[in-house]
């Protein structure tokens, strides 16, 4: 017969007995020492409840002593806390009956520590008794106690804030009622209530002060920062940092900023900036100022520092970031010094430094396209297919030659002097290209003379005397390319290109307009604006001229949120006819608009609202482009989800807006490693489930995520897609293989591309893409990078990103743009080209060779002690090349670098404390 479930008595006795036996067994298991301690503590608990205050005090003191000695290190639950567990309730109950006195506070302290292991989840009893207890030093109870308290404070703070918000709503309602009834009495009551509710967090903030001081003293900076973020009072941090811990603190602040929602991220970086300024760590402060895009801060860094070599280093940092910045008397007092510093910011020394690197690594020998194709390594059929569509092959060779010899000043096609004719062989190669091909060929000369303005303009000049409009267009574009990233006082680009913008011939106009966009990218020059907005308003101008004008305006005013330019582009978009809206080139107009808001987040909202009034055909495209540009490089998870939502829809064939949405995912997620890995996974899913127009954009998005950083998993995905049945997907994948390997000379990608060249030897279009990719992989013979991120992936250069994104948007319709007559959009990549070098110079800016260790960078944020920042390093003499994810550190004590990040140009000063070892 089953036992009666309601008969409670019968079932409980055996279990009680069983429990008793178990307890006895436990008692037996204890060592003599532990048993003595247990009995001792039980005695103290009885004594605490004794009516004699003297006995009580002695018992509390002893108990306190026992707990303190055992909680100083927390590897397991300390014995006293274990043995006092059964008595926690007893002590709590007794505490309630005690009269207010010091003893009661003493007991509250002990209860606060006991609550560490005994209080129920969410009760926050540890904090409750801490606030009721004495004001003593909390650190003496040990780290674990302080950590637990910090957690409870954060919860309590959040609860009180909620309560306050709720209370404020009620108060507003009450006030409205008072106004209606004009009842003086209730207004008085409300006044009393207001006073009591005014300062609900002072008690917490006192504790926070103590905890932060404790954490900062004990190398737990991240915990201090976390607590202050929870209680929204980071300003407290500035008074607690000192010389020993400010670097670790700021490293944690700058790293966590990437994962915080706005506007908290900016606030955190502001605090880091203040701390760096306080400890005169100016180069770091300058980098944060650039990250915040705050020119006032940049100015403040220059005025705060009075050391000339350090100011030179600041100028190198500004030059690498690619922003236009004019020094004034406050920043540098001496005229000659100011001119020298302005020259560094204007990048006039870049070409010289790059060629020094090339000579040092011994790669000055010019390379021909055949050296890159390495056709002899393939079987017969590829070399046999070389005769197919020779104009297209010559055009491909022109680009390969331009990319490979970029910046070296010499090559085997364009700059070879010929003995028998005055024009030289460059003209011969030039005329091996047809019509619009000549434009790219003429412009390729300026790629070879990149950054060398004087020599470049002198050599391009000869093309202006030819009557061929395509050659002149190429020469105009070339003037822009040579001046890319270099600012010159006499503005040669504007002087040369300004008159051609209003010419009749559309190809000449496009050449001049693109040239202006590339030469003045990010400069926000008003003269350029007035010239180009005139073109946008020109009703007779053909569509292609309008499209390139919008892009150039976007580049010149990148990230500026300039309203006049935005309006000009919006009107140009509204004026387009139905047939024009269907043209692939029209899609460059929304991109030009988007570039104005690159990385500027909420500032885009007004323009995004206007875009909702556009024609149905372009409305969604514009919306996606604006969204992706505005949040580019922010890592904003919500925007990535939004864009993924648009990609998940299965739409009609004619829809084009999903392409920019896919690119947008990459643009937003490229901000930090974690988001980047997740975006790669999401894009894999889109490949499986997405419509055709999404699949065409996915390879390009992967190319952007890993630009100049050949990750093996992405390489394999792109290799698979390069054999796709849809030729557009295959082309995008091939170009992306070039992008992820750009400037790395990666042997595996080079091998893949060679095999593809033999696989597609009959398909002229795909072979053209393979050739372009081969040129990109060997960009600058492996000395250049396209990565828009620099300074250990902290800063994003807006002009570089703008150039890459423009080229990728053009690739969304390969057949119409890249394989059509607008292949010169590939030259927009010049905006992102930078030497991937570390060049050390002395205080007079002369190259100085020192040993450096180059290895894989290690993330040391929040780690204890002084961990190594690089792993698997090799020691080289500068100048050296840095691959993606590499970090360098000096291998000698003889010099001190003036920049904390060893990238680009770094000035070294001699270490006064250095002693030569015998």
């Amino acid at each position: 017969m089953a036992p009666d479930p309601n008969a409670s008595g019968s079932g409980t006795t055996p279990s009680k007995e069983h429990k008793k036996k178990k307890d006895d067994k436990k008692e037996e298991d204890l060592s003599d020492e532990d048993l003595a301690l247990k009995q001792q503590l039980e005695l103290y608990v009885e004594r605490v409840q004794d009516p004699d205050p003297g006995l009580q005090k002695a018992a509390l003191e002893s108990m306190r002593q026992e707990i303190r000695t055992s909680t100083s290190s927390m590897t397991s639950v300390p014995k006293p806390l274990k043995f006092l567990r059964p008595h926690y309730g007893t002590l709590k109950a007794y505490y309630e009956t005690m009269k207010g006195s010091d003893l009661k506070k003493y007991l509250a302290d002990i209860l606060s520590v006991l609550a560490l292991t005994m209080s129920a989840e969410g009760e926050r009893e540890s904090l409750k008794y801490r606030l009721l207890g004495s004001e003593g030093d909390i650190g003496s109870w040990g780290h674990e106690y302080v950590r637990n308290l910090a957690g409870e404070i954060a919860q309590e703070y959040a609860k009180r804030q909620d309560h306050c918000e709720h209370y404020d709503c009620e108060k507003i309602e009450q006030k409205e009622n008072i106004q209606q009834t004009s009842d003086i009495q209730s207004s008085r009551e409300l006044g009393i209530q207001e006073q009591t509710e005014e300062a609900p967090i002072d008690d917490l903030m006192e504790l926070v002060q103590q905890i932060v001081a404790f954490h900062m003293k004990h190398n737990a900076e991240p915990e201090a920062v976390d607590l202050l973020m929870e209680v929204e009072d980071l300003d407290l941090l500035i008074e607690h940092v000192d010389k020993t811990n400010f670097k670790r603190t700021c490293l944690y602040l700058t790293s966590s900023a990437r994962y915080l929602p706005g506007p908290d991220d900016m606030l955190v970086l502001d605090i880091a900036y203040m701390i760096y300024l306080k400890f005169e760590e100016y180069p770091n402060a300058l980098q944060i100022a650039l990250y915040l895009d705050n020119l006032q801060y940049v100015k403040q860094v220059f005025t705060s520092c009075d050391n000339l070599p350090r100011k030179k280093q600041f100028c190198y940092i500004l030059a690498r970031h690619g922003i236009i910045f004019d020094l004034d008397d406050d920043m540098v007092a001496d005229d000659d010094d100011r001119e020298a510093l302005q020259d560094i910011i204007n990048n006039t020394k870049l070409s010289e430094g790059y060629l020094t690197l090339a000579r040092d690594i011994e790669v000055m020998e010019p390379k021909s396209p055949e050296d890159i194709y390495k056709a002899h390594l393939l079987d017969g059929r590829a070399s046999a297919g070389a005769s197919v569509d020779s104009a297209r092959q010559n055009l491909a060779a022109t680009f390969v030659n331009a990319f490979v010899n970029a910046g070296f000043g010499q090559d085997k096609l364009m700059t070879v002097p010929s003995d028998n004719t005055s024009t030289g062989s460059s003209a011969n190669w030039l005329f091996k290209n047809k019509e619009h091909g000549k434009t790219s060929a003429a412009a390729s000369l300026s790629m070879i003379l990149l950054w060398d303005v004087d020599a470049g303009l002198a050599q391009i000049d000869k093309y202006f005397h030819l009557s061929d409009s395509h050659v002149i267009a190429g020469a105009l574009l070339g003037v822009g390319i040579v001046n890319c990233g270099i600012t010159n006082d006499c503005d040669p680009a504007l002087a040369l290109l300004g008159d051609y913008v209003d010419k009749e011939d559309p190809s000449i106009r496009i050449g001049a307009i693109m040239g202006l966009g590339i030469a003045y990218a990010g400069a926000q020059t008003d003269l350029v604006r007035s010239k180009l907005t005139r073109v946008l308003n020109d009703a007779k101008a053909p569509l292609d001229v309008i499209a390139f004008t919008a892009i150039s305006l976007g580049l010149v005013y990148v990230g500026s949120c300039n309203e006049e330019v935005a309006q000009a582009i919006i009107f140009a978009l509204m004026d387009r006819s139905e047939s024009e809206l269907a043209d692939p080139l029209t899609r460059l107009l929304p991109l030009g608009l988007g570039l104005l808001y690159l990385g500027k987040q909420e500032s885009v909202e007004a323009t995004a609202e206007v875009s909702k009034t556009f024609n149905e055909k372009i409305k969604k495209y514009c919306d996606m482009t604006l969204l992706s540009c505005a949040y580019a490089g922010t890592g904003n998870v919500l925007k990535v989800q939004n864009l993924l939502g648009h990609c998940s829809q299965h739409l009609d064939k004619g829809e084009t807006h999903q392409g920019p949405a896919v690119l947008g995912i990459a643009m937003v997620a490229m901000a930090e490693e974690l988001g980047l890995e997740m975006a790669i996974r999401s894009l894999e899913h889109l490949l499986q489930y997405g419509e055709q127009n999404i699949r065409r954009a996915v390879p390009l998005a992967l190319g952007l995520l890993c630009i100049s950083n050949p990750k093996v998993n992405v390489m394999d995905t792109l290799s698979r897609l390069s054999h796709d049945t849809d030729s557009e997907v295959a082309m995008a994948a091939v170009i992306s293989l070039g992008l992820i390997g750009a400037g790395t000379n990666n042997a595996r990608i080079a091998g893949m591309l060679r095999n593809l060249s033999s696989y597609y030897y009959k398909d002229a279009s795909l072979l053209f893409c393979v050739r372009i990719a081969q040129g990109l992989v060997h960009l600058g013979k492996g000395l250049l990078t396209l990565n828009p991120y620099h300074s250990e992936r902290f800063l994003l250069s807006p002009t570089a990103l703008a150039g890459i994104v423009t080229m990728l948007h053009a690739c969304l319709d390969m057949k119409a743009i890249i394989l059509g007559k607008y292949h010169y959009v590939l030259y927009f990549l010049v905006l992102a080209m930078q030497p991937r070098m570390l060049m050390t110079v002395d205080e007079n800016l002369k190259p100085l060779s020192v040993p450096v260790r180059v290895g894989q960078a290690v993330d040391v944020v929040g780690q204890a002690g002084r961990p190594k920042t690089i792993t698997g390093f090799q020691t080289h003499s500068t100048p050296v090349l840095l691959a993606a994810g590499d970090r360098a550190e000096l291998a000698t004590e003889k010099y001190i670098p003036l920049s904390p990040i060893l990238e680009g140009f770094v000035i070294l000063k001699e270490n006064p404390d250095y002693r030569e070892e015998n």
Side-chain angles (χ1 to χ4, degrees), residues 360-427:
D360 193 272
I361 297 177
E362 298 177 358
V363 289
M364 283 304 289
E365 184 69 31
K367 278 196 152 87
S368 69
E370 283 68 39
D371 298 338
I372 302 302
Y373 301 160
K374 294 199 171 90
H376 62 276
L377 296 176
L378 298 166
D379 51 9
R381 63 181 183 168
S383 37
S387 57
V388 183
D389 191 358
S390 70
R392 172 58 57 85
Q393 288 310 308
N394 287 352
L395 179 60
T398 302
F399 279 112
V400 172
N401 184 55
F403 287 142
V404 173
N405 296 301
F408 285 91
Q410 51 183 9
D411 72 323
K412 290 185 176 176
L413 296 185
M414 301 299 295
T415 59
V416 188
S418 176
D419 304 329
N420 48 8
T421 57
S422 57
T423 51
S425 73
S426 75

Side-chain angles (χ1 to χ4, degrees), residues 517-760:
I518 291 175
Y520 292 97
Q524 303 183 23
T525 315
D526 286 340
L527 281 168
V528 175
R529 187 189 74 210
S530 55
K531 275 199 184 313
L532 294 183
T533 40
R534 224 179 26 245
V535 179
L536 274 186
N537 300 332
D538 178 1
K540 294 196 187 103
L543 177 63
D544 50 3
V545 174
I546 298 277
F548 282 104
T549 308
I551 287 290
S552 286
L553 276 169
L555 289 172
V556 176
Y557 283 87
V558 65
S560 67
C561 307
N562 186 301
E563 285 187 18
E564 290 176 38
V565 178
Q567 275 179 340
I569 297 177
I570 286 170
F571 288 141
L573 252 172
M574 288 177 161
D575 291 346
R576 304 276 69 83
S577 65
E578 280 281 332
S579 59
E580 283 180 322
L581 287 175
D583 192 304
L585 277 175
T586 310
R587 300 180 206 157
L588 295 180
L589 284 160
L591 179 61
L593 191 56
L595 292 178
L596 297 175
Y597 298 96
L598 194 72
K600 288 288 171 274
Q601 307 195 28
E602 289 84 20
S603 314
V604 78
E605 282 169 8
T607 309
E609 282 303 312
V610 175
S611 77
K612 293 199 169 82
T613 62
F614 291 169
N615 185 307
E616 278 300 319
K617 277 189 180 170
I618 199 84
K619 184 165 76 175
K620 277 187 171 172
Y621 193 96
C622 196
D623 199 27
M624 291 296 98
T625 309
L626 285 173
L627 178 70
S628 59
C629 286
Y631 288 89
T634 59
N636 188 314
V637 187
L638 298 174
K639 298 299 168 213
V640 174
Q641 287 171 349
N642 182 346
L643 291 163
L644 275 169
H646 285 282
C647 297
S648 64
Q649 295 160 7
H650 297 284
L651 303 163
D652 310 333
K653 279 278 179 280
E655 292 284 357
T656 54
H657 72 271
Q658 289 177 320
V662 175
L663 283 181
I665 294 169
M667 286 162 70
V668 178
M670 66 194 291
E672 36 80 35
E673 288 296 329
L674 205 66
L676 190 141
E677 291 295 339
M678 288 164 71
I680 291 174
R681 287 216 302 272
S682 300
L683 290 170
E684 292 275 355
H685 293 312
L686 289 181
L687 272 179
Q688 289 163 347
Y689 307 118
E691 295 289 324
Q692 213 49 26
N693 55 359
I694 291 180
R695 295 190 69 232
R696 286 171 184 177
V698 167
L700 299 171
L702 288 170
L704 175 59
L705 281 172
C706 301
I707 196 157
S708 290
N709 180 11
K711 293 191 175 207
V712 179
N713 57 338
V714 175
M715 208 190 297
D716 292 342
T717 304
L718 291 174
S719 172
R720 190 178 79 236
L721 291 173
S722 63
H723 296 83
D724 200 89
T725 46
D726 181 353
S727 65
E728 292 256 348
V729 175
M731 284 186 227
V734 170
I735 293 279
S736 290
L737 273 173
L739 290 175
I740 68 169
T744 60
N745 283 349
N746 186 293
R748 188 159 170 225
I749 295 183
M752 282 178 187
L753 292 170
R754 268 201 306 280
N755 294 335
L756 284 167
S757 73
S758 90
Y759 182 72
Y760 287 124

